[in-house]
């Protein structure tokens, strides 16, 4: 039985000339630091609700 739909090859998306902010462009240390800030903010928010 044959496939009824054709496979269409999409052209790759061109990168924007002014790319926005991306986590992928951060170094490993910067990602860990950002994660630590997020975790600390969540802990502070949790403690503020509890107390």
């Amino acid at each position: 039985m044959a496939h009824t739909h054709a496979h269409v090859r999409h052209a790759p998306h061109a990168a924007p000339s002014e790319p926005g902010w991306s986590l992928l462009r951060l170094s490993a240390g910067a990602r860990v630091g950002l994660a630590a800030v997020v975790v600390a903010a969540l802990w502070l928010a949790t403690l503020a609700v509890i107390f």
Side-chain angles (χ1 to χ4, degrees):
M1 180 159 202
H3 234 36
T4 57
H5 65 276
H7 290 279
V8 179
R9 295 197 86 172
H10 296 287
H13 295 288
S17 59
E18 292 288 328
W21 187 82
S22 172
L23 283 173
L24 297 176
R25 289 192 194 96
L26 295 178
S27 67
R31 282 185 234 161
V32 170
L34 182 61
V37 169
V38 169
V39 168
L42 289 173
W43 269 106
L44 288 174
T46 302
L47 292 175
V49 168
I50 293 172
F51 298 115

